[in-house]
């Protein structure tokens, strides 16, 4: 993901899609394939040593052995095919598979790096089909190679082919995505009190009439569109329409404009109720080192991967790459990063962090048992248990005491070589290797460990202490090795994830250590960092390689005593204003609008929404909450392709994200990605062969194809679902502000005494109340007076008693308690909810 395939860009240039209509040659060139009808036997075709080629009923046939791992483990091919640069070729063949199978048909360089000029995945049947693909040769080559890669099946099968042809002079294939009706809406729907906008693709330049219709076809609202001109991100002339004043809940609404009717959608208050849970459930099926139970995820069960059970070589004792270290580490567990079997500290860091940050934003929104995972029922919120699965892995990547570079973190662990699709984790036979340490990985470990130390303190003091110790060691090691950068060429078997500026990671780690410890060293580092006062709000959003924003957001929202905290909070609001202006100017409501879309653009869209949502938390201004609600429209259908990028959400949604185990497109026995999985989305660089073949010259929003082979536009990753979980959790928060003000005053540190005053700033009496807040880490309530207090984890609930249970307008009530604090700072809580609504 993101930069994982950058090292492969040189390997892939032009490719093809699945079967296409026969290409019509304008001036058909000579036949390049020798003996493509097998009238003279099998020569010059060749096969790998595990197959025997024979002619059967006029076709070349071979029995393909079972039990192989990768597609290239079984190959049938022909060499010495001349190609001419700039020439468009038609490649045709007839093939059968008994039983049906998906194979690989390639035209490629015959030697390493086996650059593919055409790559296709024909779905072959018992009765047989004819296939035609076109591609344009990027280079002249006297000895290209046509190969069929047929390995990777656990069971044996029989392959036959005939009428194989390769000729120049073909017309280039034109890819036309099916974008459906020209009225683009959020296909999931709209919240009753939120914004409701749609985008219309039209040639009209003056306002158009529109109608909102209910499921019965009755028009319930109408209006006129607003012309927006040509949208640079799609290349289309568009209008917007706004039906935000209509608030009646219902199912099956549609919008009609310019003779087109949108896909159906709902208006409902609980529209996003399930999305945070689905986005978080994704992580269980990404787990390494544990059996995925079908009883917990029907259809997704599989054996534990990389636990040292053959054919796995396992993650229980992983050596370093040659010359890197003289030890092995047990790095079992964690999440597979994306669609392959690699595990990366820099990507795991931001992913685990955002899950924990979602919990820290509202510790009452996530429950034990919510995610139906093996840890459910242990008394901790499931979101923390899931984050811990990754955090344990991150801790295991730290160099042990007594070894060179002790305290540093290894950058990544993955296979020695790339594997093919599909490949279930427990069947991966590759040697696993630890890669060198890096400053970026070490600071990711420091940041997430410091965060985990405060969040796990109420639940597992020993785990919290272990994390804080690891964070301090990592910080010291990073300061001693401030420029240990990942090798950008280390991209065989896994992504390089190189980053030659780690000043942002230093800032993030210092911020988290300061929030958890309150210590001067970390405060001083934060205040001295150029990221503390600089404009860090990139148009393109933050991501694994740009993490200063994570520190700034936490310093703004997590209670602390930073001397310039008011300025920090103001800077977040300024960042939100920047993204709000971008969104208002964009006819699709996008808070992201660079001239070219990035790899993983959908996660960048979401991370910009995180900034806007945080501004709402800080200010209570409705415009920010409305902007987040509108921002989700793009991901769920209001886009140029008229599709949802979240699996299972919307009438037309991504379902073929790049993955070795959610690979139904290649193997009907395997599932599609689980509901709630975010696709990376449009990527102007189109690095993979399939995207290069189909999307040359694409406008940014059109640089996407929902195909498992398009790893540069359609991969899934742990750090793309993490902002989806954060933002969707924000959207399920009913929000709203209560007419109250709370003053919390603490005396002492450990132990401490606190006094709480609740003031009714509204016009009506509050008859019976409960007040809820959360502590920073491990503080515990003891004796109380004036109210009845209870505590779960770090969340405290106070209920009024007797006369204290009624608060008249303009009046206040007071209660207090004693508490303990075992370690770290004890700042006053800043967010209070009175009877479920936030005071402010």
């Amino acid at each position: 993901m993101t930069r994982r395939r950058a090292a492969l860009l040189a390997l892939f240039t032009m490719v093809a899609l699945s079967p296409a209509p026969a290409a019509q040659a304008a001036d058909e060139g000579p036949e390049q394939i020798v003996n493509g009808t097998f009238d003279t036997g099998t020569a010059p075709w060749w096969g790998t040593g595990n197959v025997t080629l024979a002619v059967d009923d006029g076709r070349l046939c071979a029995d393909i052995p079972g039990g192989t791992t990768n597609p290239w483990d079984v190959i049938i091919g022909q060499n010495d095919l001349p190609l001419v640069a700039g020439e468009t070729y038609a490649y045709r063949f007839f093939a059968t598979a008994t039983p049906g199978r998906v194979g690989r048909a390639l035209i490629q360089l015959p030697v390493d790096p086996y650059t593919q000029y055409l790559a296709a995945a024909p779905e072959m049947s018992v009765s047989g089909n004819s296939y035609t693909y076109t591609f344009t040769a990027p280079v002249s080559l006297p000895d290209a190679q046509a190969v069929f890669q047929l390995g990777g099946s656990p069971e044996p099968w029989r392959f036959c082919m005939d009428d194989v042809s390769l000729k120049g002079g073909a017309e280039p294939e034109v890819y036309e995505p099916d974008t459906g009706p020209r009225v683009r809406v959020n296909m999931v729907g709209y919240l009753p009190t939120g914004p409701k906008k749609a985008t219309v693709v039209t040639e009209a330049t003056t306002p158009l009439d529109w109608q909102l219709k209910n499921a019965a076809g009755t028009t319930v609202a109408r209006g006129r569109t607003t012309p927006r001109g040509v949208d640079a991100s799609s290349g289309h002339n568009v209008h917007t329409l706004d039906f935000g004043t209509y608030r009646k809940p219902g199912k099956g609404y549609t919008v009609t404009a310019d003779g087109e009717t949108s896909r159906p959608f709902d208006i409902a208050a609980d529209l996003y109720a399930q999305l945070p849970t689905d986005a978080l459930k994704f992580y269980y099926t990404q787990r390494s080192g544990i059996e995925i139970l079908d009883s917990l995820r029907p259809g997704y069960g599989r054996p534990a991967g990389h636990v040292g059970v053959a054919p796995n070589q396992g993650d229980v004792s992983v050596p370093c790459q040659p010359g890197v270290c003289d030890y092995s580490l047990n790095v079992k567990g964690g999440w597979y990063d994306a669609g392959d079997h690699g595990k990366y500290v820099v990507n795991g860091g931001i992913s685990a962090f955002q899950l924990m940050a979602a919990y820290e934003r509202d510790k009452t929104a996530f429950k034990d048992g919510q995610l139906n995972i093996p840890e459910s029922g242990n008394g901790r919120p499931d979101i923390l248990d899931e984050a811990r699965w990754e955090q344990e892995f991150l801790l295991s990547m730290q160099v042990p005491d007594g070894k060179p570079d002790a305290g540093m973190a290894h950058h990544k662990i993955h296979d020695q070589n790339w594997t093919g699709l599909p490949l279930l984790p427990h069947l991966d036979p590759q040697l696993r290797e630890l890669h060198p340490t890096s400053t970026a990985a070490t600071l990711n470990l420091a940041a997430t460990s410091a965060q985990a130390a405060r969040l796990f303190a109420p639940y597992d003091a020993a785990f919290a202490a272990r994390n804080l110790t690891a964070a301090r060691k990592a910080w010291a090691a990073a300061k001693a090795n401030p420029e240990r950068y990942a090798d950008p060429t280390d991209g065989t078997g896994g992504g390089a994830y190189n980053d030659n500026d780690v000043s942002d990671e230093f800032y993030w780690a210092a911020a988290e250590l300061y929030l958890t410890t309150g210590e001067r060293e970390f405060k001083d580092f934060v205040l001295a960092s150029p990221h503390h006062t600089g404009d860090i709000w990139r148009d393109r959003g933050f991501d694994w390689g740009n993490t200063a924003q994570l520190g700034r957001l936490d310093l703004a929202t997590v209670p602390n005593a930073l001397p310039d905290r008011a300025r920090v909070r103001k800077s977040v609001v300024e960042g939100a204003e920047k993204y709000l202006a971008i969104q208002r100017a964009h006819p699709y409501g996008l808070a992201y609008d660079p001239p070219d879309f990035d790899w993983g653009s959908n996660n960048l869209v979401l991370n910009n929404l995180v900034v806007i949502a945080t501004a709402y938390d800080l200010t209570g201004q409705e415009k920010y909450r409305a902007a987040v609600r509108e921002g989700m429209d793009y991901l769920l259908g209001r886009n140029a392709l008229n599709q949802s990028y979240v699996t299972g959400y919307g009438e037309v949604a991504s379902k073929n994200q790049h993955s070795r185990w959610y690979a139904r497109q290649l193997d009907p026995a395997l599932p599609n990605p689980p509901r709630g999985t975010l696709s990376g989305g449009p990527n102007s660089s189109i690095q993979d062969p399939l995207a290069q073949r189909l999307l040359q010259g694409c406008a940014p929003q059109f640089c996407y194809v929902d195909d498992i082979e398009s790893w540069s536009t359609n991969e899934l990753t742990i750090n793309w679902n993490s902002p989806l979980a954060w933002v969707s959790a924000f959207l399920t928060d009913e929000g709203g502000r209560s007419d109250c003000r709370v003053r919390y005053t603490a005396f002492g540190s450990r132990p401490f005494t606190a006094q709480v005053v609740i003031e009714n700033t509204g016009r009506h009496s509050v008859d019976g109340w409960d007040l809820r807040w959360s502590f920073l880490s491990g503080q515990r309530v003891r004796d109380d007076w004036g109210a009845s207090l209870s505590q779960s984890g770090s969340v405290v609930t106070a209920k009024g008693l007797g006369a204290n249970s009624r608060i008249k307008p303009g009046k206040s009530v007071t209660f207090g308690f004693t508490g303990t604090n075992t370690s770290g700072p004890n700042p006053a809580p800043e967010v209070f909810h009175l009877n479920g609504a936030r005071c402010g």
Side-chain angles (χ1 to χ4, degrees), residues 146-481:
V147 298
F148 293 87
Q149 294 183 348
L150 306 170
S153 172
E155 304 296 332
W157 57 288
R158 186 167 176 81
F159 169 77
C160 294
M161 65 178 180
D162 200 1
D163 299 324
V164 186
S165 172
L166 177 67
K167 293 182 179 181
E171 290 291 335
E173 183 182 345
V174 177
Y175 174 64
E176 291 288 345
D178 181 3
T179 57
R182 289 184 286 105
V183 182
R184 312 289 160 76
V185 297
N186 179 333
M187 288 182 285
V188 173
Y190 300 86
L191 295 165
T193 58
K196 302 175 189 69
K197 295 180 181 178
T199 300
V200 184
V201 178
T202 176
E203 295 180 359
T205 57
T206 57
L208 301 166
D209 292 329
W210 61 260
Q211 299 86 37
L212 173 67
K213 298 181 180 181
N214 62 21
T218 302
T219 298
V220 295
R222 64 179 69 243
R224 300 275 282 173
T225 64
T226 301
R228 302 297 296 273
V230 176
D231 163 47
S233 69
S234 65
H236 285 165
N237 187 73
V238 295
H239 293 203
T240 58
L241 62 88
D242 188 340
F243 55 101
T245 58
Y246 187 83
R247 299 186 173 189
K248 185 177 180 180
K251 295 181 178 297
Y253 287 101
T254 56
V255 176
T256 298
D258 198 26
E260 294 274 323
T261 298
S262 73
R263 292 183 173 131
F265 57 88
D266 298 342
I267 298 176
D270 62 350
L271 202 68
Y272 297 110
Q274 188 60 31
L275 183 54
T277 298
D278 286 341
L280 290 168
K281 280 186 171 182
F282 161 83
Y283 289 94
Y284 175 56
T285 51
Q286 286 292 117
R287 286 190 187 187
S288 176
I290 188 175
E291 178 187 5
I292 305 304
L293 298 173
D294 203 68
S295 59
L296 299 181
R297 295 292 185 277
Y300 291 90
R302 55 176 168 79
H306 298 98
V307 291
V309 175
N312 276 176
Q313 300 190 41
D315 289 352
V316 294
S317 182
V318 180
C320 283
Q321 287 179 307
V324 170
C325 73
D326 63 356
Y327 53 83
S328 296
L329 292 181
N330 181 351
V331 292
K332 173 186 169 185
W335 300 318
Y336 296 118
D337 176 71
D340 59 59
H341 304 131
K343 299 186 294 189
Y344 308 82
V345 173
V346 294
N347 216 45
I350 189 174
S351 305
F353 173 86
Q354 286 195 294
L355 264 60
M356 290 190 284
Y359 170 74
E360 191 160 33
R361 176 187 173 268
D362 184 356
K363 296 174 182 175
T364 66
F366 302 95
K367 308 296 184 183
D368 184 18
Q370 175 186 7
L371 303 182
N372 199 23
I373 55 178
E375 298 83 3
S376 294
N378 65 2
R380 281 195 301 266
D382 283 357
I383 190 172
L384 287 185
D385 287 322
E386 194 58 74
R388 180 172 182 164
W389 189 262
E390 179 69 5
Q391 187 62 29
E392 293 272 14
F393 160 71
L394 298 177
L395 291 169
S396 73
M397 293 287 281
Q398 191 165 37
V399 177
D401 291 344
K403 297 294 184 180
D405 296 329
M408 294 286 284
H410 287 278
H411 196 70
K412 57 180 182 169
I413 175 259
H414 56 65
D415 291 336
Q416 188 178 51
N417 296 291
W418 285 108
T419 57
L421 283 73
L423 182 62
L424 289 166
H426 69 286
L427 298 177
D428 175 16
Q430 285 283 330
L431 173 68
R432 308 279 276 178
E433 292 178 324
L434 290 168
H435 291 246
T437 61
S438 73
T439 309
T442 304
L443 291 167
N444 269 261
L445 176 62
T448 60
S449 296
Q451 181 191 34
R454 65 177 181 266
L455 294 181
F456 281 90
Y459 298 103
D460 189 334
F463 184 63
R466 178 183 162 206
N467 273 278
L468 188 54
T469 297
R472 292 185 186 278
K473 287 183 178 179
W475 175 258
K479 288 208 304 180
N481 300 275

Side-chain angles (χ1 to χ4, degrees), residues 547-572:
T547 59
Q549 297 86 340
L550 303 178
R552 183 83 67 88
L553 291 169
D554 264 11
L555 289 169
T557 57
V558 178
N560 66 84
L562 203 66
D564 66 342
R565 184 141 179 265
R567 185 203 58 78
V568 170
R569 292 162 72 93
K570 182 174 181 289
S571 77
V572 173

